[in-house]
Amino acid sequence: MKSIDRYMARLIAVPLFSTLVIAAMLLVLDRMRRLFDFVATEGGPISVVWRMLANLLPEYLGLGIPIGLLLGILLAFRKLATTSELDVLRSVGMSYTRLLRVPYMFATVLAIANLLIVGYLQPIARYYYEGLRFELRTGALGASIKVGEFTHLGDRMTLRIEQSRDKGRELSGIFVHAQTPKNDWIGVTAAKGRFLATDDPNVIIFRLANGTLIHERPEFRTPRVLTFSSHDLPINLPKFESFRVRGGRNLEFTLPELARAGHEAATPELRDASRSEFHFRLAEVAMMFLLPMLAVALGVPAKRSTSGLGVFLSIVMIVTYHKVNQYAADVGELGRIDPLIALWVPFTVFAGLILWMYYTIAYVPGGEPIGALERGISRTVKMVTSRLPGRRRDKEGAA
């Protein structure tokens, strides 16, 4: 790489990776709060939150990589333009196409990485995430017993604990109600208790101390009452159903699986859904190769302007394209439009707009793709502010 290429690489790398890290952190923090609420409501261990966030990270990277690439290149060219370095490079014969060599190196590497993420890693991580949610709801992760509430262990046992100390090792104020298959029931109250493991992973021992046991059976005239200083109550852990196999949703299929399902699915609805998801992922990755040209067109402000409109407009455009793609994928999944047309027509329109903007700034003398927009916004702002009550009084006072 030549000196200018190394310089461009440094300019792009810092904002690119900074934007990627910040975007991922914001998305993780937003989801973390909801996951903590969900895990606490289901009574699961807090450690599962980090496993769920790790499985969501590929999805966040799939969204953050295109934005990071766009902003990294855009901010690099914006810095070159505002410091007049771009004018120097252009004056010595450096064209925009030559300056895009390093940005396209970044785009190629990140597009391949994004293809691997959305095509292979993200579907599998999504399946594991749904599996953790399923296990939390069913209690297969060892849901905790909530203090002060009635907890149902299967269909035949109810447990309530008043106080818990030493991370659950010392329990007090215990009530247990259990029903057996013989249609009799047992009620137990105890001052203290603790759970003990057994050789059978499906059975645990609840060792109770200083309590009373009541046993009722239809053939008993009166319930039997037992006062004890120590009593071991075996508890059969409920059996949990297995989670479904991967592929219950299109989001959990890899790209080869989607391509195969798009040709071999049993019904037209399944074929349209698979093809729609397949083309959606490819269109999202293909757009990354147009982002360097969009970044140049929006990153170089008009002459004698330091407006940040291009940064704002770039984010709006890429988010809008993503939302349009999502809508097109939903329409294609319903079978109203062929997924090939629904996904690639917006891509073609967006690509045509980007190519026109890049051609204007790179090959049209004095071309400024956002210059007219900046001037229009400036005139609009001046017109609005001039009609504000305070400004009108100032003008009348000056007159």
Side-chain angles (χ1 to χ4, degrees), residues 3 169-170 211:
S3 298
R169 296 184 179 89
E170 296 183 7

Side-chain angles (χ1 to χ4, degrees), residues 67 314-324:
I67 296 177
S314 66
I315 297 176
V316 170
M317 290 180 67
I318 193 171
V319 172
T320 301
Y321 174 75
H322 178 69
K323 293 300 181 181
V324 169

Side-chain angles (χ1 to χ4, degrees), residues 40-84:
T41 302
E42 298 296 333
I46 297 300
S47 59
V48 75
V49 174
W50 313 118
R51 295 166 58 188
M52 299 178 76
L53 287 174
N55 287 315
L56 286 175
L57 196 57
E59 180 178 349
Y60 296 154
L61 290 177
L63 296 173
I65 286 177
I67 296 177
L69 175 66
L70 176 63
L71 291 182
I73 300 173
L74 186 148
L75 294 176
F77 274 90
R78 176 178 169 78
K79 181 179 180 181
L80 291 176
T82 55
T83 57
S84 300

Side-chain angles (χ1 to χ4, degrees), residues 158-187:
T158 301
L159 176 66
R160 190 176 190 272
I161 296 173
E162 288 291 342
Q163 294 182 352
S164 174
R165 299 185 182 90
D166 194 16
K167 297 182 180 181
R169 296 184 179 89
E170 296 183 7
L171 307 175
S172 59
I174 299 165
F175 167 79
V176 181
H177 180 275
Q179 188 174 4
T180 67
K182 297 181 180 180
N183 201 26
D184 56 348
W185 58 266
I186 298 174

